[in-house]
Amino acid sequence: MIILLIKYFFIIMCSMYAFPKLLNIHQKVTAKTKLFMIFLNTITSFFMYMLRAYMAPISIMIMVSVSALFLKKIYRIDIGCTITTTIISFGIGYLSYIPSITFAAILEICLPGTVTSAFFSAALAFIIGMTQLTLVVCLFRINRLKHGFSFLSEAKYSDLCVHISVSVLSAASFLGMNQGTHLVYIILIFSIVICGIIFWFWWHRQITEEYLKQLNKRETEELNHVIDSQQREIEMLNRQNDELSKIIHKDNKFLPAIELSVKEFYLSVVSDENKASRTSSTIKLIEQLEQFSRERAGVVKSYELSHKKPPCTNIASIDILFTYMLEKAAYSDIILDLCLWDDMAPLIKHKISEQDLTTLLGDLLENAIIATKDCKKRRILAGIGILNNTYCICISDSGVPFPAEVLLHLGIEPVTTHADHGGSGIGLMSTFEICSRYHASLEIEELDLSLYAKQVTIRFDGLGTHKVKLLDKQKCQKVSANPNIQIVPLISTG
């Protein structure tokens, strides 16, 4: 019994050593983990001894499975890679057993008469184990192997190594069986095991291919979206180029005429004493110059709006959303300023998911654009960053403040007063729900400013409060019936 326990202990130990070496992992293992590894090896070796007596055909596979689960827990790598590398490492462990036992056989020949000693048999088993471990250590000291098997990441090569290792393990299972084991039982068990292994690799390959197919599909869709966006931008640039060409063509004739008119006016001031004539000429000249200025101001403003670039967040969905919202705002002649003063990666990692953040920003910007469309002043300012050690989203716009009816039903049911512009009230309701889900504080404030009329602020502070700050006292009284929000009256400075 002790001889078999030592044998399995060192085989498992060799595979445990070979596993990180195969993947070129340099993770430090704590002393506590190493002690637990030795304890687990001892327990597994004992169970291996019991399994070899009653369930020999599948005993090695059970040992490999237990070791794979333990190694995945320590090194935290993909389960598929863990199973593949564990099988290969056990194959290396069993292959190293062959020269070790050959060395032991030579040692027995050199020391006749001691084979029957129990102590000598145990010592010989220990020597075989140490020889195994030494061989595996020396194997990964070779220059070509000291950085592991990099080709394991390639399916065709890793599968080949697994098949070789499974063959070695199967041979070890056959050789370790008792002579009395029925042949039909052996064939049945091994058929099930081999079919299971083949099915697992087939399933793994199909999953990988499906993942790559979906990845390619998504990349193709994103590429098509970029191409469409670029095509629209090219068409817009061509239109603007045509407009600017017409203006330049017109200016080539108009500017010399203006220059001549100014010279004539200047000379008339010097020589002509007719004040009425000079006044009439001056008014006509001023009107021409104002028209000239208006035409060019409109084109320049359109050009500036269409060429505004969003801040880069390095988050694909957010960058695409910002680009889309800038185009949508420019289409309605709305000046949309996007400000990003802190990295958004920690926000997504610790506070809110990327999908919900994209939905939240999309709803807030969409609401601001709809509210600003019919206003004389069309400006939106969106800022994202850290204020007072808390991530915040601030959206200010010059649109009409939220009506009392909308605020009265906030968090209860969707209500809109902009149905004619595509509003549904779902966006604000979705914003309320997302804030509640992540315990973020929602604050809606009316502004007594010339540039912006209201501001929506979301703070990821974990408090989950909902405040509405209003300038109108009657509106405060009406909205106070909503139990979901806290009303804060404001004093107008106007």
Side-chain angles (χ1 to χ4, degrees):
M1 176 180 175
I2 189 68
I3 296 173
L4 289 176
L5 287 177
I6 294 173
K7 170 188 171 181
Y8 297 134
F9 179 86
F10 277 102
I11 287 174
I12 297 172
M13 185 63 70
C14 288
S15 68
M16 293 284 187
Y17 176 83
F19 184 88
K21 296 295 182 181
L22 286 168
L23 297 175
N24 196 25
I25 298 174
H26 300 287
Q27 176 181 330
K28 289 185 177 180
V29 180
T30 62
K32 184 179 178 181
T33 304
K34 290 179 180 178
L35 289 174
F36 182 74
M37 187 183 298
I38 294 172
F39 173 75
L40 181 67
N41 286 357
T42 306
I43 298 297
T44 308
S45 301
F46 176 77
F47 278 105
M48 270 296 297
Y49 173 78
M50 301 297 293
L51 288 170
R52 292 298 283 175
Y54 302 102
M55 301 176 66
I58 61 170
S59 57
I60 292 180
M61 296 307 167
I62 292 175
M63 178 174 63
V64 171
S65 301
V66 172
S67 300
L69 292 174
F70 176 70
L71 291 168
K72 185 186 184 320
K73 180 72 174 177
I74 294 178
Y75 297 107
R76 302 181 183 276
I77 58 176
D78 177 67
I79 183 64
C81 183
T82 302
I83 293 173
T84 300
T85 311
T86 304
I87 292 173
I88 295 172
S89 65
F90 267 93
I92 293 172
Y94 269 96
L95 283 173
S96 66
Y97 183 74
I98 297 173
S100 301
I101 201 169
T102 304
F103 171 74
I106 295 171
L107 194 62
E108 283 187 15
I109 295 172
C110 296
L111 298 172
T114 57
V115 180
T116 56
S117 171
F119 174 77
F120 178 80
S121 298
L124 192 61
F126 183 80
I127 291 171
I128 292 172
M130 291 302 297
T131 306
Q132 275 184 269
L133 194 57
T134 304
L135 288 173
V136 174
V137 171
C138 292
L139 178 68
F140 290 101
R141 293 292 177 90
I142 301 172
N143 288 333
R144 289 183 178 272
L145 300 179
K146 64 168 54 177
H147 297 297
F149 291 178
S150 58
F151 54 79
L152 284 177
S153 58
E154 300 182 31
K156 59 181 181 180
Y157 295 120
S158 63
D159 288 355
L160 177 61
C161 291
V162 169
H163 293 154
I164 294 172
S165 300
V166 168
S167 301
V168 172
L169 296 179
S170 301
S173 296
F174 271 116
L175 293 171
M177 288 183 182
N178 296 326
Q179 295 295 327
T181 306
H182 201 281
L183 183 61
V184 175
Y185 171 72
I186 296 172
I187 294 173
L188 178 62
I189 293 295
F190 270 95
S191 299
I192 294 172
V193 171
I194 297 300
C195 289
I197 292 171
I198 293 172
F199 174 77
W200 186 87
F201 279 104
W202 174 84
W203 174 79
H204 184 267
R205 181 67 61 83
Q206 292 297 115
I207 291 293
T208 303
E209 289 179 357
E210 182 64 25
Y211 170 76
L212 292 174
K213 189 185 297 183
Q214 293 295 330
L215 185 64
N216 289 333
K217 182 180 178 181
R218 186 174 64 183
E219 289 178 350
T220 303
E221 290 176 353
E222 291 178 357
L223 183 61
N224 289 334
H225 176 78
V226 172
I227 292 172
D228 292 340
S229 177
Q230 294 292 332
Q231 188 63 36
R232 289 195 300 270
E233 187 173 351
I234 289 171
E235 292 174 359
M236 184 170 56
L237 287 172
N238 288 332
R239 288 196 302 269
Q240 291 174 347
N241 186 56
D242 293 339
E243 292 176 3
L244 291 172
S245 298
K246 291 176 183 178
I247 289 175
I248 292 171
H249 179 74
K250 184 179 179 181
D251 289 352
N252 288 335
K253 298 177 180 179
F254 187 69
L255 287 174
I258 290 291
E259 181 184 1
L260 182 60
S261 298
V262 172
K263 286 181 179 179
E264 290 178 352
F265 178 74
Y266 175 75
L267 293 174
S268 68
V269 170
V270 177
S271 59
D272 190 2
E273 296 180 355
N274 189 347
K275 185 177 180 181
S277 175
R278 289 199 304 272
T279 303
S280 176
S281 298
T282 303
I283 292 172
K284 289 180 180 180
L285 183 60
I286 290 172
E287 289 176 351
Q288 288 178 337
L289 291 172
E290 287 178 346
Q291 182 182 357
F292 181 81
S293 177
R294 281 195 301 271
E295 288 177 354
R296 280 137 194 83
V299 173
V300 171
K301 181 181 178 182
S302 174
Y303 183 83
E304 288 176 347
L305 287 174
S306 62
H307 285 74
K308 186 175 289 185
K309 299 296 181 184
C312 181
T313 65
N314 294 319
I315 302 169
S317 59
I318 304 294
D319 289 337
I320 292 171
L321 174 69
F322 282 169
T323 302
Y324 170 72
M325 287 299 173
L326 281 172
E327 291 178 0
K328 190 169 185 177
Y331 182 79
S332 301
D333 294 328
I334 298 172
I335 300 174
L336 172 58
D337 294 314
L338 298 170
C339 301
L340 180 68
W341 59 86
D342 284 296
D343 184 16
M344 291 181 64
L347 175 62
I348 290 176
K349 186 176 181 181
H350 301 293
K351 298 295 183 180
I352 185 172
S353 69
E354 180 180 341
Q355 182 179 354
D356 285 338
L357 179 61
T358 305
T359 302
L360 188 63
L361 290 171
D363 289 337
L364 290 173
L365 292 172
E366 180 80 20
N367 288 342
I369 290 172
I370 291 174
T372 313
K373 271 185 179 179
D374 292 335
C375 297
K376 187 176 180 181
K377 295 177 182 178
R378 301 176 184 178
R379 295 190 70 96
I380 300 172
L381 174 62
I384 305 173
I386 298 175
L387 292 174
N388 298 324
N389 298 321
T390 303
Y391 267 102
C392 298
I393 299 174
C394 301
I395 311 288
S396 305
D397 66 74
S398 59
V400 179
F402 291 109
E405 181 184 0
V406 173
L407 297 175
L408 183 62
H409 293 85
L410 179 62
I412 301 173
E413 60 180 354
V415 176
T416 183
T417 56
H418 297 284
D420 51 337
H421 291 301
S424 62
I426 296 176
L428 190 61
M429 190 69 187
S430 174
T431 299
F432 186 90
E433 291 174 354
I434 291 174
C435 289
S436 299
R437 189 183 310 152
Y438 292 97
H439 304 287
S441 295
L442 171 65
E443 184 178 292
I444 300 174
E445 181 179 1
E446 293 182 348
L447 303 175
D448 189 16
L449 302 174
S450 59
L451 201 57
Y452 300 107
K454 67 176 181 292
Q455 177 176 286
V456 178
T457 304
I458 296 173
R459 296 183 179 88
F460 294 91
D461 52 9
L463 299 178
T465 59
H466 307 103
K467 293 183 181 179
V468 177
K469 299 180 179 180
L470 304 174
L471 295 169
D472 188 352
K473 290 184 179 180
Q474 293 182 351
K475 192 174 181 180
C476 288
Q477 292 177 355
K478 187 173 182 180
V479 176
S480 62
N482 188 339
N484 295 321
I485 57 177
Q486 177 185 350
I487 308 300
V488 180
L490 298 174
I491 299 175
S492 175
T493 58

